[in-house]
């Protein structure tokens, strides 16, 4: 697979997903993620245009890069969820005030 397509996909998709957590509005999140996808796609397309890689190599790089970025996103989501559950206040605890 194309190393440029793979690494750009991993980097920009991961950066895009991390930045979406910083913005509260859905439109801004979609814009940031869309820019990340567009940059990764453009880098892969330039590899094909310049004749550095076959299209199948770029598609393989995009696929592996997207899978890796998704794995990182899922791991970050699991850690965040675990931290929220671990630090959540106990609401059903019996009162000790007598």
């Amino acid at each position: 697979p194309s190393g440029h397509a793979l690494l750009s996909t991993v980097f920009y998709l991961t950066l895009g997903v991390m930045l979406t957590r910083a913005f509260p509005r859905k439109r801004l999140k979609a814009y940031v993620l869309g820019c990340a996808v567009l940059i990764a796609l453009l880098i892969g397309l330039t590899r094909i245009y310049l004749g550095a890689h076959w299209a199948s190599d770029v598609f393989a790089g995009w696929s592996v890069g997207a899978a890796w970025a998704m794995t990182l996103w899922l791991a970050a989501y699991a850690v965040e969820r675990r931290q929220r559950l671990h630090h959540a206040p106990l609401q059903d605890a019996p009162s000790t005030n007598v």
Side-chain angles (χ1 to χ4, degrees), residues 81-88:
R81 186 171 177 201
R82 181 180 170 112
Q83 286 176 347
R84 266 191 278 151
L85 290 174
H86 186 273
H87 295 295

Side-chain angles (χ1 to χ4, degrees), residues 5-49:
L6 190 150
L7 292 177
S8 67
T9 302
V10 168
F11 179 75
Y12 288 111
L13 287 184
T14 303
L15 182 64
V17 168
M18 287 172 35
L19 284 175
T20 59
R21 294 175 181 264
F23 300 118
R25 295 179 46 203
K26 287 187 179 185
R27 245 184 211 190
L28 195 52
K29 289 180 183 202
Y31 176 75
V32 167
L33 199 54
C35 287
V37 169
L38 180 66
I39 291 170
L41 287 175
L42 287 175
I43 290 172
L45 291 175
T46 60
R47 305 310 297 161
I48 297 170
Y49 176 76

